[in-house]
């Protein structure tokens, strides 16, 4: 026998016990004996036996009862029945109850060795099977754990992930992709065409599935008003393509930044370069003495002053925008009398309004003082009044109405100017956006004023409403919660 075993011999005949013990000891086995069922039971409970030879005819506890108990105590122990011819039927019955085999009395040493050898081989096979099963369960558990970890990692990713096998079937996806593509139900093992309805994306994946070389396909795709950079990469093993991995990265903010950068460069090119060229031209004429008339020289210098004011306003707008977009804005909250701020603002723009013969009408109803940053409030209404005058017609009017409306402080600034096209109203708060038509083409501006206005209103948890009609003017209504303004909350 290649493996050693631990054998218990249970028989009430001393000669049988000793004969079996000597035969099995010569085989290198560890052998113990018991003369009745109760003694055997005690030894089995104390020691680990691989095989038990049981005589059916035992005192105190019969062989059948011991066999029955053994199957419940440890079914891995191999029981072999020792029986005489008169109890042959009992031996067969015992086998049906779970005994591995039987050896009839009288038996030869060869028969005993052969039966014990087969029984121990069975025991060792059972042990190996258990070991393999444990390893398999351990491996399955590890695989399950790895799958769980992988799923957790993928689901925690902000990027959408979709994995398709070589047959175009979906085998893995995360919660982000479910949200991006509006997926519903279980999408596993479904074809790409069943899951995705966007032909551009389907063509991109199919192209990668057909591609023989290892490449990564990238394309920017618009989905539900968002911009996504879609990367499609192949998955291979030893040169054999297994499928593709599709990742979706939201680049909406990056796209917006790129558009803003382009708009900023265009704005700088026009709003800075043009005034500088004009200033340079006027100064060149004056310095070279080309113009001698003092009135003409004065007129040129006044024009230079206007252009420098435009550049200063542009610089102020850019600095204010940078301040508004700063992650940490320090606001000094002080009690503010809104009537004083409005009157100061109107006084500041009096000359500009007079140049275009614009009449400013003020209606300020009794409202409580507010707790806010004075620079914020001044900048908010200065930008609105500046636009109301700048885009107004000669001889027009501007109406300013301050009142308490519900739980809000409402400031309404209405002009009789050129108005805003309907399709542009939703865009006027975007940075660097300007309405460009024949009526606004010559009006200087940066496209930042209303963006700054909106950022201030949001900082105070307010809202702004716009109504406008081309040729009839525009109305901007700012609503600021009085509860917050009166308590003096700190704003982010």
């Amino acid at each position: 026998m290649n493996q050693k075993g631990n054998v218990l011999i249970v028989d009430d005949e001393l000669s049988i016990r000793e004969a079996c013990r000597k035969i099995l000891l010569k085989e290198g086995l560890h052998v113990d004996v018991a003369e009745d069922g109760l003694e055997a039971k005690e030894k089995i409970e104390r020691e680990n036996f691989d095989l038990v030879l049981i005589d059916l005819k035992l005192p105190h506890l019969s062989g059948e009862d011991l066999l029955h108990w053994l199957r419940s105590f440890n079914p891995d122990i191999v029981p072999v029945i020792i029986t005489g011819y008169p109890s042959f039927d009992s031996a067969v019955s015992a086998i049906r109850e779970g005994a591995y085999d039987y050896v009839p009395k009288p038996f030869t040493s060869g028969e005993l060795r052969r039966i014990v050898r087969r029984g121990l081989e069975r025991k060792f096979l059972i042990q190996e099977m258990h070991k393999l099963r444990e390893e398999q369960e351990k491996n399955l558990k590890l695989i399950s754990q790895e799958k769980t970890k992988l799923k957790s990692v993928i689901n925690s990713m902000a990027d959408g992930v979709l994995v398709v096998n070589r047959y175009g079937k979906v085998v893995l996806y995360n919660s982000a992709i479910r949200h991006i593509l509006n997926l519903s139900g279980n999408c596993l093992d479904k074809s790409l065409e069943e899951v995705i309805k966007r032909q551009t994306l389907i063509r991109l994946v199919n192209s990668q599935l057909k591609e023989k070389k290892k490449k990564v396909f990238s394309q920017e795709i618009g989905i539900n008003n968002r911009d996504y950079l879609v990367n499609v990469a192949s998955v291979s093993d030893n040169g054999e393509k297994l499928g593709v991995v599709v990742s979706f990265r939201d680049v909406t903010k990056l796209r917006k930044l790129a558009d803003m950068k382009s708009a900023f460069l265009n704005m700088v090119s026009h709003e800075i370069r043009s005034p500088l060229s004009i200033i340079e031209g006027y100064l060149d004429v004056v310095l070279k003495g080309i113009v001698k008339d003092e009135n003409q020289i004065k007129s040129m210098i006044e024009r230079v002053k206007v252009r420098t004011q435009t550049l200063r306003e542009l610089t102020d707008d850019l600095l204010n925008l940078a301040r508004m977009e700063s992650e940490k804005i320090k606001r000094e909250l002080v009690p503010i009398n809104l009537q004083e701020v409005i009157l100061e603002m109107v006084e500041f723009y009096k000359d500009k309004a007079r140049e275009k013969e614009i009449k400013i009408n003020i209606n300020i109803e009794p409202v409580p003082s507010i707790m806010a940053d004075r620079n914020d409030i001044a900048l908010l209404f200065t930008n609105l009044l500046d636009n109301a005058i700048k885009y107004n017609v000669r001889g027009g009017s501007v109406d300013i109405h301050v009142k308490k409306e519900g739980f809000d402080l409402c400031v309404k600034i209405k002009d009789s100017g050129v108005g805003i096209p309907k399709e542009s109203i939703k865009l006027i708060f975007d940075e660097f956006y300007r309405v460009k038509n024949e009526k606004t083409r010559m009006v200087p501006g940066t496209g930042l004023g209303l963006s700054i206005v909106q950022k201030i209103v949001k900082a105070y948890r307010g809202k702004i409403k716009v109504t406008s009609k081309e040729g009839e003017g525009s109305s901007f209504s700012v609503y600021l919660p009085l509860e917050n303004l009166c308590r003096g909350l700190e704003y982010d």
Side-chain angles (χ1 to χ4, degrees):
M1 297 181 187
N2 296 327
Q3 290 179 286
K4 305 302 179 183
N6 197 3
V7 178
L8 176 64
I9 302 167
V10 188
D11 199 298
D12 59 343
E13 295 184 42
L14 179 60
S15 59
I16 297 293
R17 293 198 306 269
E18 285 303 311
C20 291
R21 188 172 70 84
K22 290 178 180 179
I23 292 170
L24 297 179
L25 283 174
K26 290 180 180 180
E27 296 295 322
L29 302 175
H30 178 271
V31 183
D32 201 351
V33 295
E35 64 182 36
D36 58 51
L38 289 178
E39 185 184 1
K41 185 178 177 183
E42 291 174 0
K43 289 192 174 185
I44 291 170
E45 288 175 337
R46 291 198 310 266
E47 299 181 46
N48 294 321
F49 290 101
D50 299 310
L51 184 143
V52 180
L53 288 165
I54 304 173
D55 183 13
L56 287 177
K57 302 299 181 179
L58 293 173
H60 306 306
L61 184 67
S62 69
E64 290 92 338
D65 291 338
L66 180 61
L67 174 64
H68 180 73
W69 171 83
L70 184 61
R71 300 309 295 167
S72 61
F73 176 74
N74 187 350
D76 289 343
I77 295 176
V78 177
V80 174
I81 300 302
I82 301 173
T83 180
Y85 287 114
S87 57
F88 177 77
D89 292 338
S90 299
V92 173
S93 177
I95 290 175
R96 289 174 182 164
E97 290 296 321
Y100 169 67
D101 206 343
Y102 71 93
V103 53
K105 296 178 183 178
F107 49 80
T108 66
S109 60
E111 289 174 332
L112 179 63
R113 283 195 297 267
R114 184 168 57 253
I115 289 175
V116 170
R117 183 184 295 111
R118 288 205 308 265
L120 289 175
E121 286 176 353
R122 174 183 171 82
K123 167 65 178 181
F124 298 144
L125 286 174
I126 290 173
Q127 286 180 334
E128 191 66 26
M129 181 184 70
H130 285 329
K131 185 177 178 182
L132 290 173
R133 184 180 295 163
E134 288 173 2
E135 290 180 357
Q136 184 183 39
E137 289 175 354
K138 184 179 179 181
N139 290 334
L140 287 173
K141 187 177 180 181
L142 289 173
I143 291 171
S144 178
Q145 288 175 347
E146 291 302 318
K147 286 177 70 176
T148 302
K149 288 179 184 177
L150 176 63
K151 193 172 182 180
S152 298
V153 169
I154 291 177
N155 278 327
S156 66
M157 292 174 62
D159 290 357
V161 177
L162 181 72
V163 182
V164 180
N165 64 18
R166 72 183 79 177
Y167 307 110
K169 301 281 187 178
V170 176
V171 294
L172 183 66
Y173 59 94
N174 65 352
S175 53
I177 201 68
R178 181 182 285 277
H179 174 72
I180 293 169
L181 297 178
N182 244 353
L183 304 180
S184 59
N186 185 10
C187 301
L188 293 177
D189 208 33
K190 290 185 178 180
S191 68
L192 200 61
E193 288 76 8
E194 291 179 86
V195 176
I196 301 173
K197 305 304 178 184
R198 298 180 179 275
Q199 293 302 315
T200 304
L201 190 55
I202 292 172
R203 284 195 296 270
L204 196 62
V205 174
N206 287 336
S207 297
Q208 181 63 278
L209 285 171
K210 295 175 184 176
E211 179 62 41
K212 293 181 179 180
K213 295 181 180 179
K214 194 171 183 180
K215 290 183 178 180
V216 177
F217 293 169
S218 297
Q219 186 171 333
E220 197 170 309
I221 297 176
I223 302 174
N224 298 328
N225 298 319
R226 308 287 297 179
D227 295 315
Y228 293 92
L229 179 62
V230 180
N231 290 317
V232 184
S234 62
V235 180
S236 303
D237 183 25
N238 295 326
E240 181 182 3
K241 180 165 287 188
L242 302 178
V244 297
V245 176
V246 189
S247 65
F248 293 70
R249 171 156 293 184
D250 192 335
V251 293
T252 306
K253 288 185 178 179
L254 294 175
R255 170 53 55 198
K256 186 178 179 181
L257 286 173
D259 293 341
M260 285 172 56
K261 180 181 177 182
S262 177
F264 173 75
L265 292 175
N266 290 334
M267 183 274 298
V268 168
S269 175
H270 183 267
E271 299 298 334
I272 294 181
R273 190 173 181 179
S274 296
L276 286 175
S277 297
I278 293 172
I279 291 170
E280 185 181 26
Y282 282 138
L283 292 177
D284 195 46
V285 168
V286 172
L287 291 173
K288 289 182 178 179
I290 297 174
V291 176
K292 305 292 185 181
D293 185 75
E294 289 187 4
N295 290 330
Q296 282 186 303
I297 292 173
K298 183 180 179 181
S299 175
M300 288 182 179
I301 292 175
E302 287 175 349
R303 291 175 186 175
V304 167
K305 183 181 178 182
V306 171
R307 297 300 176 181
T308 55
Q309 287 175 341
T310 301
L311 291 174
R312 180 179 56 78
E313 290 172 1
L314 171 60
T315 304
D316 289 343
D317 281 348
L318 290 172
L319 291 174
N320 285 326
L321 179 65
R323 185 174 70 89
M324 292 296 159
E325 292 187 339
S326 173
E327 291 184 0
K328 294 183 179 180
I329 304 174
K330 293 183 179 179
R331 289 187 164 89
E332 185 180 352
L333 303 181
V334 296
I336 295 175
N337 185 321
L338 197 59
Q339 181 175 350
E340 291 181 3
V341 175
I342 297 293
L343 292 176
E344 288 175 7
M345 181 179 66
V346 171
E347 180 65 23
F348 181 80
Y349 280 95
K350 184 174 62 177
D351 293 340
K352 194 171 184 179
R354 189 183 294 118
E355 288 177 7
K356 296 180 70 173
E357 301 175 0
I358 293 172
K359 184 180 180 181
I360 301 178
N361 304 307
I362 305 173
N363 179 12
I364 302 179
E365 298 180 15
V367 293
S369 295
I370 61 174
M371 293 293 292
D373 187 288
R374 191 175 185 86
N375 290 331
D376 283 349
I377 300 302
L379 187 60
L380 169 61
F381 297 116
T382 295
N383 272 299
L384 291 176
L385 182 57
D386 183 64
N387 281 350
I389 295 172
K390 192 161 54 177
Y391 292 100
N392 216 322
V393 295
R394 180 168 292 279
S397 64
V398 175
D399 297 319
I400 302 174
H401 189 188
V402 180
K403 61 179 179 177
K404 182 177 178 291
E405 191 169 303
F407 296 102
D408 295 330
L409 171 67
C410 176
V411 180
K412 185 176 182 180
I413 298 180
K414 182 180 179 182
D415 65 66
S416 59
V418 297
I420 305 169
K422 186 177 180 180
E423 63 275 10
S424 296
I425 290 178
K426 62 182 180 181
L427 302 172
I428 57 175
F429 294 104
D430 292 349
E431 293 166 5
F432 304 111
Y433 180 83
R434 295 193 64 203
V435 177
K436 294 182 180 179
N437 53 39
E438 286 300 318
K439 296 178 181 179
T440 63
R441 186 170 56 87
M442 299 303 295
V443 179
T446 62
L448 294 174
L450 289 178
S451 177
I452 292 171
V453 165
Q454 188 182 54
K455 290 182 186 298
I456 295 174
V457 171
K458 283 184 176 180
Y460 288 87
R461 300 183 179 95
K463 58 185 177 180
I464 183 167
K465 293 183 179 179
V466 184
T467 57
S468 184
K469 191 173 182 180
E470 283 190 276
E472 296 184 11
S474 304
S475 175
F476 288 80
S477 299
V478 175
Y479 297 87
L480 300 175
L482 272 171
E483 181 183 7
N484 294 341
L485 293 171
C486 291
R487 284 192 304 177
L489 295 181
E490 293 187 8
Y491 299 95
D492 297 328

